[in-house]
Amino acid sequence: MGRTTGAILTGAPHLVAVLPAVVTTLVAWDRLPAEMASRFAADGTVVDTMPRAAMLVAAILLGVVMSAVFAAIGGRSPAAPVSSVDTMRFFGLVSWATAGILGTVLLSAVLANVDAPDAAAAELPMSRLLVALAVAAVAGAVGYLVTPRSPVAPPQPAAEAIAVAPGELVSWSGRVESRASLALGAVLVVAGLAAAWPAGPLVGALLVAVGLAVLLLGSSALVTVDRRGLVVSLGVLGWPRLRIPADDIASVTTGDVSPAQFGGWGYRIVPGGSGVVLRRGPALIVTRRSGRRFTVTVDDARTAAGLLVGLGHRVS
Protein backbone atom coordinates (compact mmCIF):
# COMPACT_ATOMS: atom_id res chain seq x y z
CA MET A 1 0.00 0.00 0.00
CA GLY A 2 2.86 2.36 0.86
CA ARG A 3 4.61 1.85 -2.48
CA THR A 4 1.38 2.36 -4.43
CA THR A 5 0.48 5.48 -2.47
CA GLY A 6 3.97 6.92 -2.93
CA ALA A 7 3.91 6.25 -6.68
CA ILE A 8 0.51 7.91 -7.08
CA LEU A 9 1.35 10.95 -4.97
CA THR A 10 4.63 11.65 -6.76
CA GLY A 11 3.52 10.72 -10.29
CA ALA A 12 -0.09 11.88 -10.60
CA PRO A 13 0.57 15.66 -10.19
CA HIS A 14 2.13 15.82 -13.66
CA LEU A 15 -0.91 14.27 -15.33
CA VAL A 16 -3.13 16.72 -13.47
CA ALA A 17 -0.80 19.63 -14.27
CA VAL A 18 -1.09 19.27 -18.05
CA LEU A 19 -4.88 18.87 -18.03
CA PRO A 20 -5.72 22.61 -18.04
CA ALA A 21 -3.50 23.18 -21.09
CA VAL A 22 -4.86 20.10 -22.88
CA VAL A 23 -8.52 20.95 -22.15
CA THR A 24 -8.03 24.60 -23.10
CA THR A 25 -6.40 23.59 -26.38
CA LEU A 26 -9.29 21.28 -27.27
CA VAL A 27 -12.01 23.74 -26.24
CA ALA A 28 -10.39 26.71 -28.01
CA TRP A 29 -9.18 24.68 -30.99
CA ASP A 30 -10.82 26.90 -33.62
CA ARG A 31 -9.56 30.05 -31.87
CA LEU A 32 -5.92 28.97 -32.02
CA PRO A 33 -3.60 29.62 -34.99
CA ALA A 34 -2.62 26.52 -36.97
CA GLU A 35 1.02 27.30 -36.17
CA MET A 36 1.21 28.16 -32.45
CA ALA A 37 3.88 30.09 -30.60
CA SER A 38 5.72 27.55 -28.45
CA ARG A 39 8.76 29.40 -27.08
CA PHE A 40 9.06 32.96 -25.88
CA ALA A 41 11.97 35.32 -25.18
CA ALA A 42 12.44 37.19 -21.90
CA ASP A 43 10.62 40.20 -23.35
CA GLY A 44 7.58 38.06 -24.17
CA THR A 45 8.07 37.89 -27.93
CA VAL A 46 7.88 34.64 -29.90
CA VAL A 47 11.08 32.68 -30.46
CA ASP A 48 9.76 29.44 -31.96
CA THR A 49 6.51 27.92 -33.23
CA MET A 50 4.90 24.49 -33.41
CA PRO A 51 1.86 23.07 -35.21
CA ARG A 52 -1.29 23.12 -33.11
CA ALA A 53 -1.64 19.32 -33.04
CA ALA A 54 2.03 18.91 -32.14
CA MET A 55 1.60 21.30 -29.19
CA LEU A 56 -1.27 19.19 -27.92
CA VAL A 57 0.64 15.92 -28.28
CA ALA A 58 3.77 17.43 -26.67
CA ALA A 59 1.79 18.53 -23.61
CA ILE A 60 0.26 15.08 -23.19
CA LEU A 61 3.62 13.32 -23.63
CA LEU A 62 5.29 15.63 -21.11
CA GLY A 63 2.66 14.78 -18.55
CA VAL A 64 2.91 11.04 -19.17
CA VAL A 65 6.73 10.88 -19.18
CA MET A 66 7.18 13.08 -16.10
CA SER A 67 4.49 11.13 -14.29
CA ALA A 68 6.19 7.81 -15.07
CA VAL A 69 9.60 9.05 -13.93
CA PHE A 70 8.40 10.40 -10.59
CA ALA A 71 6.06 7.46 -10.00
CA ALA A 72 9.07 5.13 -10.30
CA ILE A 73 10.88 7.20 -7.68
CA GLY A 74 7.92 7.38 -5.33
CA GLY A 75 7.05 3.69 -5.66
CA ARG A 76 10.36 2.33 -4.41
CA SER A 77 10.51 -0.59 -1.99
CA PRO A 78 11.95 -0.38 1.55
CA ALA A 79 15.64 0.44 1.57
CA ALA A 80 18.41 1.56 3.89
CA PRO A 81 18.47 5.27 4.85
CA VAL A 82 20.97 7.13 2.66
CA SER A 83 20.45 10.65 3.95
CA SER A 84 19.90 12.55 7.16
CA VAL A 85 16.57 13.74 5.71
CA ASP A 86 13.62 11.85 4.21
CA THR A 87 14.43 11.53 0.50
CA MET A 88 10.94 10.33 -0.47
CA ARG A 89 9.36 13.50 0.88
CA PHE A 90 12.10 15.54 -0.80
CA PHE A 91 11.28 14.01 -4.19
CA GLY A 92 7.59 14.56 -3.42
CA LEU A 93 8.40 18.25 -3.06
CA VAL A 94 10.43 18.25 -6.28
CA SER A 95 7.70 16.40 -8.18
CA TRP A 96 4.88 18.72 -7.14
CA ALA A 97 6.98 21.85 -7.67
CA THR A 98 7.99 20.68 -11.14
CA ALA A 99 4.38 19.88 -11.96
CA GLY A 100 3.38 23.37 -10.81
CA ILE A 101 5.86 25.03 -13.16
CA LEU A 102 5.04 22.67 -16.02
CA GLY A 103 1.29 23.15 -15.79
CA THR A 104 1.44 26.92 -15.39
CA VAL A 105 3.86 27.44 -18.27
CA LEU A 106 1.93 25.16 -20.64
CA LEU A 107 -1.39 26.81 -19.84
CA SER A 108 0.11 30.28 -20.18
CA ALA A 109 1.54 29.39 -23.58
CA VAL A 110 -1.83 28.12 -24.81
CA LEU A 111 -3.69 31.18 -23.49
CA ALA A 112 -1.15 33.47 -25.20
CA ASN A 113 -2.17 31.89 -28.53
CA VAL A 114 -5.95 32.11 -28.05
CA ASP A 115 -7.53 34.54 -30.57
CA ALA A 116 -4.09 35.48 -31.94
CA PRO A 117 -4.27 36.02 -35.72
CA ASP A 118 -0.94 34.19 -36.07
CA ALA A 119 1.90 32.92 -33.91
CA ALA A 120 3.90 36.13 -34.20
CA ALA A 121 1.09 38.07 -32.54
CA ALA A 122 1.18 35.94 -29.38
CA GLU A 123 2.89 37.39 -26.31
CA LEU A 124 3.85 35.88 -22.95
CA PRO A 125 4.87 38.48 -20.32
CA MET A 126 7.64 37.70 -17.85
CA SER A 127 5.08 38.08 -15.06
CA ARG A 128 3.66 34.69 -16.07
CA LEU A 129 6.98 33.11 -15.11
CA LEU A 130 6.76 34.71 -11.68
CA VAL A 131 3.29 33.22 -11.34
CA ALA A 132 4.69 29.81 -12.29
CA LEU A 133 7.39 30.09 -9.61
CA ALA A 134 4.79 31.05 -7.01
CA VAL A 135 2.62 28.09 -8.00
CA ALA A 136 5.68 25.82 -7.80
CA ALA A 137 6.50 27.02 -4.28
CA VAL A 138 2.99 26.34 -3.02
CA ALA A 139 2.71 23.02 -4.86
CA GLY A 140 6.11 21.90 -3.55
CA ALA A 141 5.10 22.61 0.04
CA VAL A 142 1.88 20.64 -0.43
CA GLY A 143 3.78 17.78 -2.07
CA TYR A 144 6.19 17.56 0.85
CA LEU A 145 3.36 17.41 3.36
CA VAL A 146 1.23 14.79 1.58
CA THR A 147 4.03 12.45 0.50
CA PRO A 148 4.44 9.49 2.89
CA ARG A 149 7.74 8.96 4.62
CA SER A 150 10.34 6.70 3.04
CA PRO A 151 9.81 2.98 3.69
CA VAL A 152 12.80 1.85 5.73
CA ALA A 153 14.21 -1.66 5.44
CA PRO A 154 14.89 -3.67 8.61
CA PRO A 155 18.27 -2.63 10.06
CA GLN A 156 21.21 -4.71 8.90
CA PRO A 157 23.29 -6.56 11.50
CA ALA A 158 26.41 -4.63 12.43
CA ALA A 159 29.41 -5.58 10.33
CA GLU A 160 32.08 -7.46 12.23
CA ALA A 161 35.39 -5.67 12.45
CA ILE A 162 38.24 -7.21 10.51
CA ALA A 163 41.22 -7.40 12.83
CA VAL A 164 44.13 -5.24 11.70
CA ALA A 165 47.42 -5.63 13.54
CA PRO A 166 49.40 -2.50 14.44
CA GLY A 167 51.58 -1.50 11.53
CA GLU A 168 49.84 -3.92 9.16
CA LEU A 169 49.01 -2.45 5.76
CA VAL A 170 45.71 -3.74 4.36
CA SER A 171 43.33 -2.65 1.64
CA TRP A 172 40.15 -3.80 -0.05
CA SER A 173 38.78 -2.95 -3.45
CA GLY A 174 35.72 -3.83 -5.47
CA ARG A 175 34.42 -2.78 -8.88
CA VAL A 176 30.78 -2.21 -9.71
CA GLU A 177 29.29 -1.72 -13.18
CA SER A 178 25.97 -0.29 -14.29
CA ARG A 179 24.20 -2.06 -17.14
CA ALA A 180 21.68 0.78 -17.26
CA SER A 181 24.44 3.36 -17.80
CA LEU A 182 26.13 1.19 -20.41
CA ALA A 183 22.86 0.83 -22.29
CA LEU A 184 22.04 4.55 -21.98
CA GLY A 185 25.50 5.59 -23.16
CA ALA A 186 25.36 3.26 -26.15
CA VAL A 187 21.88 4.46 -27.09
CA LEU A 188 22.96 8.11 -26.91
CA VAL A 189 26.02 7.49 -29.08
CA VAL A 190 23.97 5.63 -31.71
CA ALA A 191 21.24 8.29 -31.55
CA GLY A 192 23.83 11.02 -32.04
CA LEU A 193 25.30 9.33 -35.09
CA ALA A 194 21.82 8.75 -36.51
CA ALA A 195 20.67 12.31 -35.79
CA ALA A 196 23.74 14.00 -37.23
CA TRP A 197 22.21 14.26 -40.71
CA PRO A 198 18.49 15.03 -40.09
CA ALA A 199 18.96 17.18 -36.94
CA GLY A 200 22.31 18.71 -37.78
CA PRO A 201 25.94 18.01 -36.78
CA LEU A 202 25.71 20.08 -33.58
CA VAL A 203 22.85 18.00 -32.17
CA GLY A 204 24.56 14.78 -33.24
CA ALA A 205 27.88 15.78 -31.71
CA LEU A 206 26.19 16.78 -28.45
CA LEU A 207 24.40 13.42 -28.15
CA VAL A 208 27.60 11.51 -28.93
CA ALA A 209 29.56 13.57 -26.37
CA VAL A 210 26.98 12.93 -23.65
CA GLY A 211 26.87 9.23 -24.53
CA LEU A 212 30.65 8.92 -24.34
CA ALA A 213 30.67 10.78 -21.01
CA VAL A 214 28.13 8.32 -19.62
CA LEU A 215 30.14 5.35 -20.89
CA LEU A 216 33.50 6.63 -19.66
CA LEU A 217 32.48 8.28 -16.37
CA GLY A 218 29.18 6.80 -15.27
CA SER A 219 29.25 3.13 -16.20
CA SER A 220 31.57 1.79 -13.50
CA ALA A 221 33.35 2.64 -10.27
CA LEU A 222 36.27 1.22 -8.29
CA VAL A 223 35.77 1.30 -4.51
CA THR A 224 38.90 1.18 -2.33
CA VAL A 225 39.16 1.00 1.46
CA ASP A 226 42.50 1.35 3.26
CA ARG A 227 44.09 3.22 6.16
CA ARG A 228 43.46 6.53 4.39
CA GLY A 229 39.70 5.95 4.36
CA LEU A 230 37.38 5.47 1.40
CA VAL A 231 38.14 6.27 -2.24
CA VAL A 232 35.69 5.88 -5.13
CA SER A 233 37.24 6.19 -8.60
CA LEU A 234 34.64 6.82 -11.28
CA GLY A 235 34.52 5.38 -14.76
CA VAL A 236 36.90 3.49 -16.97
CA LEU A 237 39.63 6.08 -16.48
CA GLY A 238 39.30 6.09 -12.68
CA TRP A 239 38.67 9.82 -12.63
CA PRO A 240 37.32 11.85 -10.98
CA ARG A 241 37.98 10.37 -7.54
CA LEU A 242 35.80 10.90 -4.50
CA ARG A 243 37.65 10.67 -1.18
CA ILE A 244 36.44 10.46 2.41
CA PRO A 245 39.43 10.69 4.76
CA ALA A 246 39.56 8.22 7.64
CA ASP A 247 39.43 11.00 10.23
CA ASP A 248 36.18 12.33 8.68
CA ILE A 249 34.29 9.04 9.10
CA ALA A 250 31.96 8.97 12.11
CA SER A 251 30.32 5.58 11.47
CA VAL A 252 29.90 2.85 8.88
CA THR A 253 27.06 0.52 7.99
CA THR A 254 25.69 -1.45 5.04
CA GLY A 255 22.28 -2.01 3.51
CA ASP A 256 20.30 -2.46 0.30
CA VAL A 257 19.65 0.75 -1.61
CA SER A 258 17.93 1.75 -4.84
CA PRO A 259 18.76 4.35 -7.51
CA ALA A 260 15.25 5.71 -6.93
CA GLN A 261 16.40 7.01 -3.54
CA PHE A 262 18.75 9.35 -5.40
CA GLY A 263 16.55 10.10 -8.39
CA GLY A 264 18.59 8.00 -10.80
CA TRP A 265 21.92 6.31 -11.50
CA GLY A 266 25.44 7.67 -11.21
CA TYR A 267 26.92 10.22 -8.83
CA ARG A 268 24.00 11.87 -7.06
CA ILE A 269 23.46 14.51 -4.40
CA VAL A 270 20.37 14.68 -2.21
CA PRO A 271 19.75 16.81 0.90
CA GLY A 272 21.80 15.32 3.70
CA GLY A 273 23.66 12.85 1.55
CA SER A 274 25.34 11.86 -1.70
CA GLY A 275 26.36 8.67 -3.39
CA VAL A 276 27.60 6.69 -6.34
CA VAL A 277 24.67 4.43 -7.15
CA LEU A 278 25.17 2.29 -10.25
CA ARG A 279 22.66 -0.45 -9.49
CA ARG A 280 20.16 -1.67 -6.94
CA GLY A 281 21.45 -3.83 -4.09
CA PRO A 282 24.04 -3.91 -1.31
CA ALA A 283 25.89 -0.72 -0.52
CA LEU A 284 28.49 0.70 1.82
CA ILE A 285 27.05 3.65 3.75
CA VAL A 286 29.45 6.03 5.51
CA THR A 287 28.29 8.77 7.85
CA ARG A 288 30.69 11.71 7.97
CA ARG A 289 31.35 13.81 11.05
CA SER A 290 29.11 16.52 9.60
CA GLY A 291 26.20 14.06 9.67
CA ARG A 292 26.01 13.73 5.89
CA ARG A 293 25.95 10.20 4.49
CA PHE A 294 27.86 8.89 1.51
CA THR A 295 26.62 5.74 -0.21
CA VAL A 296 28.28 3.55 -2.81
CA THR A 297 26.76 0.38 -4.23
CA VAL A 298 29.26 -2.45 -4.40
CA ASP A 299 29.34 -6.23 -3.93
CA ASP A 300 30.65 -7.54 -0.61
CA ALA A 301 29.95 -4.20 1.06
CA ARG A 302 30.07 -5.86 4.49
CA THR A 303 33.74 -6.74 4.03
CA ALA A 304 34.50 -3.12 3.14
CA ALA A 305 32.56 -1.94 6.19
CA GLY A 306 34.32 -4.49 8.40
CA LEU A 307 37.71 -3.27 7.28
CA LEU A 308 36.80 0.35 7.99
CA VAL A 309 35.64 -0.73 11.45
CA GLY A 310 38.83 -2.71 11.95
CA LEU A 311 40.84 0.34 11.06
CA GLY A 312 39.39 2.11 14.05
CA HIS A 313 35.79 3.11 13.20
CA ARG A 314 32.63 1.92 14.87
CA VAL A 315 29.51 0.62 13.13
CA SER A 316 26.28 2.59 13.66
Side-chain angles (χ1 to χ4, degrees):
M1 181 63 180
R3 294 178 61 183
T4 302
T5 302
I8 292 174
L9 288 175
T10 54
H14 296 273
L15 294 177
V16 176
V18 301
L19 277 179
V22 171
V23 172
T24 302
T25 300
L26 293 173
V27 172
W29 188 264
D30 294 333
R31 297 167 57 191
L32 296 169
E35 191 76 14
M36 295 174 59
S38 58
R39 289 178 53 219
F40 299 83
D43 60 0
T45 57
V46 178
V47 174
D48 201 359
T49 64
M50 185 180 292
R52 185 171 46 190
M55 281 276 286
L56 177 62
V57 172
I60 295 173
L61 288 178
L62 273 173
V64 171
V65 171
M66 295 295 288
S67 177
V69 169
F70 279 100
I73 294 175
R76 62 176 180 259
S77 57
V82 296
S83 169
S84 56
V85 303
D86 193 316
T87 54
M88 177 173 276
R89 302 189 82 181
F90 166 71
F91 283 116
L93 181 154
V94 173
S95 175
W96 283 59
T98 305
I101 291 181
L102 176 65
T104 305
V105 169
L106 287 176
L107 178 60
S108 298
V110 173
L111 292 176
N113 283 274
V114 174
D115 294 329
D118 54 44
E123 186 177 356
L124 188 64
M126 179 60 71
S127 59
R128 299 289 178 86
L129 178 58
L130 300 179
V131 172
L133 293 176
V135 171
V138 174
V142 173
Y144 180 84
L145 293 174
V146 303
T147 301
R149 295 186 180 277
S150 298
V152 180
Q156 295 285 329
E160 295 184 5
I162 296 177
V164 180
E168 182 180 7
L169 298 179
V170 296
S171 66
W172 176 95
S173 63
R175 179 171 289 279
V176 58
E177 295 184 346
S178 170
R179 294 179 180 178
S181 295
L182 287 170
L184 175 61
V187 168
L188 288 173
V189 170
V190 172
L193 295 175
W197 181 73
L202 182 60
V203 173
L206 180 61
L207 287 173
V208 170
V210 173
L212 290 176
V214 171
L215 289 173
L216 294 176
L217 302 178
S219 61
S220 65
L222 178 65
V223 183
T224 304
V225 172
D226 57 25
R227 61 183 177 80
R228 297 170 297 178
L230 173 65
V231 178
V232 179
S233 304
L234 300 179
V236 178
L237 304 178
W239 184 90
R241 293 180 179 177
L242 307 174
R243 301 177 183 271
I244 301 182
D247 58 4
D248 189 31
I249 299 176
S251 61
V252 185
T253 189
T254 62
D256 287 339
V257 303
S258 166
Q261 293 176 270
F262 293 86
W265 292 265
Y267 175 64
R268 297 283 173 157
I269 298 176
V270 295
S274 60
V276 176
V277 185
L278 298 183
R279 53 143 174 81
R280 180 188 181 89
L284 176 67
I285 305 172
V286 173
T287 301
R288 309 183 73 155
R289 296 195 179 279
S290 64
R292 291 182 60 84
R293 292 176 185 169
F294 177 81
T295 302
V296 55
T297 53
V298 65
D299 291 331
D300 199 18
R302 289 184 61 78
T303 298
L307 181 56
L308 280 176
V309 175
L311 291 168
H313 305 295
R314 61 182 177 84
V315 173
S316 60

